[in-house]
Amino acid sequence: MGVGDDLENQMTTKHHRGIGSRGGDQDLLGPSPRPVVPLVYSEFSDDELAPQWTSWLIPLFVVANVIVFIVTMFINNCPKNSESHDPKQKCVARFLGRLSFEHLRNNPLFGPSSLTLEKLGSLDWYRVVEKHQAWRLLTCIWLHAGVIHLATNMLSIVFIGTRLEQQFGFVKIGWIYVMSGMGGSILSSLFIRNGISVGASGALFGLLGSMLSELITNWTIYSNKIAAFLTLLVVIVINLAIGILPYVDNFAHVGGFLTGFLLGFVLLARPQIRWFAREHMPQGRRISKYKPYQYILWLLSLALLVLGFVVASVLLFKGEDGNDHCHWCRYLRCIPTSRWSCDSV
């Protein structure tokens, strides 16, 4: 169940800013995400410990993202509003009319121009902080830089989100998705000032992080937990490692992952097994619904989550540059090698 995440493709705008496409990088470098080793409950039936919900929110998210992309392409109207003045750089798939794509030199992901994405709500530090357009922290997670970007993100949502929604319901998973997307946007804006970024990578990494914390907080009820934990850990490490490539918004990945990881402890804890058998216990014996370590993780995670959002938001809207407070953090986004430089990132 890997998240194919966000090879952020930078396209030059009239203001020399790049587009970061969050949520599709690994898509170009590796296979689509696949489910982690299924977890098996140790003593009780699936219906007792995990009543199945009907997954409708995740499909709705997919439909919403597709509709937003179609509207974006319609507004982009490449044949009429192409940002390129070179007659040789014609729109791609012109038979689509207004929905045709920008020239691949401007957008290699088969999508709209950077100017269109800016107009519709892409993440841009200057507009968020200086122009007080905080709504971009949310709108950017519904925009996508191209068909490739959109398709890989939607596959990730389906593979990861469907299983979670079936087991925990749409309310909890909806909160994790949206809050993780916001967490990724805040951390990205705090550290990146020279580009615009779009995509659902923060939300996707949040779902992935919540799967890890759900496994940890419900550790005692699973039988094949070691295999699932190792598989999930490898998937997370690989996806975060891909984020160090140039033009990948890894701060959105990290911010979304941390948000989802903490929310998993808060929202996805399951009652201990003895609580399900409380009616068979001797009369007068009280059984706590959750284990002590689950309560501790719940309180600690909630405190860290609130503190993290408050501190990051205050620093962001005060105009602070996160790189001034964490000099090594720039390597989370790009590590220079003999093959590429990180100067323009």
Side-chain angles (χ1 to χ4, degrees):
M1 176 197 53
V3 177
D5 253 276
D6 313 305
L7 189 50
E8 194 179 21
N9 291 274
Q10 183 163 345
M11 301 185 293
T12 305
T13 69
K14 293 181 180 180
H15 306 289
H16 303 289
R17 293 202 299 271
I19 290 183
S21 59
R22 310 183 313 185
D25 24 320
Q26 181 178 333
D27 328 317
L28 305 180
L29 304 175
S32 300
R34 287 177 170 78
V36 178
V37 178
L39 291 170
V40 177
Y41 303 114
S42 56
E43 296 181 23
F44 284 71
S45 67
D46 289 356
D47 291 337
E48 288 179 290
L49 291 178
Q52 290 292 299
W53 298 67
T54 299
S55 177
W56 63 268
L57 184 64
I58 293 301
L60 183 62
F61 280 166
V62 172
V63 172
N65 277 280
V66 171
I67 291 176
V68 169
F69 181 74
I70 293 174
V71 172
T72 301
M73 294 306 302
F74 185 83
I75 295 174
N76 185 67
N77 193 6
C78 180
K80 181 179 179 180
N81 302 316
S82 176
E83 64 181 359
S84 171
H85 298 289
D86 186 346
K88 296 181 179 180
Q89 294 187 15
K90 297 181 179 180
C91 300
V92 178
R94 292 180 64 87
F95 63 88
L96 294 175
R98 292 182 64 121
L99 302 182
S100 57
F101 312 120
E102 292 292 319
H103 191 277
L104 296 183
R105 183 174 296 179
N106 298 326
N107 187 341
L109 292 179
F110 297 95
S113 69
S114 58
L115 294 180
T116 299
L117 293 173
E118 277 190 281
K119 180 167 62 175
L120 294 182
S122 63
L123 189 63
D124 179 356
W125 177 87
Y126 176 77
R127 293 178 183 273
V128 169
V129 178
E130 300 295 336
K131 296 295 184 179
H132 309 291
Q133 298 177 0
W135 49 268
R136 289 178 178 270
L137 296 171
L138 180 61
T139 57
C140 68
I141 71 176
W142 303 99
L143 293 170
H144 289 83
V147 171
I148 297 175
H149 187 202
L150 175 70
T152 50
N153 273 348
M154 295 308 100
L155 284 175
S156 299
I157 290 176
V158 170
F159 277 117
I160 299 171
T162 300
R163 176 253 175 186
L164 287 171
E165 186 182 357
Q166 287 174 344
Q167 295 196 3
F168 296 99
F170 71 93
V171 174
K172 294 179 179 179
I173 302 310
W175 269 106
I176 291 174
Y177 185 93
V178 173
M179 293 301 295
S180 296
M182 289 279 290
S185 296
I186 291 174
L187 193 66
S188 177
S189 297
L190 193 57
F191 283 90
I192 300 175
R193 295 191 173 193
N194 60 349
I196 65 173
S197 185
V198 295
S201 64
L204 293 173
F205 266 83
L207 293 176
L208 190 59
S210 69
M211 290 192 73
L212 180 61
S213 56
E214 187 270 327
L215 175 59
I216 294 173
T217 194
N218 302 319
W219 187 260
T220 59
I221 71 172
Y222 293 123
S223 60
N224 59 338
K225 49 202 169 192
I226 298 297
F229 177 79
L230 293 178
T231 303
L232 193 54
L233 199 60
V234 169
V235 168
I236 292 169
V237 170
I238 290 175
N239 279 274
L240 288 176
I242 288 176
I244 65 176
L245 294 173
Y247 310 119
V248 178
D249 189 354
N250 212 26
F251 287 111
H253 299 176
V254 174
F257 176 81
L258 292 176
T259 302
F261 183 69
L262 294 175
L263 278 173
F265 289 119
V266 175
L267 298 177
L268 305 184
R270 298 184 189 275
Q272 60 172 313
I273 289 179
R274 288 194 302 167
W275 187 81
F276 288 98
R278 61 192 181 281
E279 64 272 12
H280 303 298
M281 295 290 181
Q283 190 173 7
R285 182 177 179 183
R286 302 187 63 180
I287 301 296
S288 175
K289 187 174 183 179
Y290 298 102
K291 289 181 174 293
Y293 79 88
Q294 290 177 301
Y295 285 110
I296 294 174
L297 288 173
W298 187 91
L299 290 171
L300 182 61
S301 298
L302 183 60
L304 289 175
L305 187 66
V306 173
L307 180 64
F309 264 86
V310 170
V311 171
S313 298
V314 169
L315 290 176
L316 173 62
F317 290 105
K318 283 180 61 178
E320 296 284 341
D321 187 341
N323 295 288
D324 294 337
H325 301 276
C326 180
H327 298 290
W328 61 267
C329 286
R330 65 181 184 274
Y331 296 116
L332 288 175
R333 190 186 183 197
C334 180
I335 295 181
T337 69
S338 58
R339 291 179 175 270
W340 62 70
S341 171
C342 297
D343 295 337
S344 61
V345 176

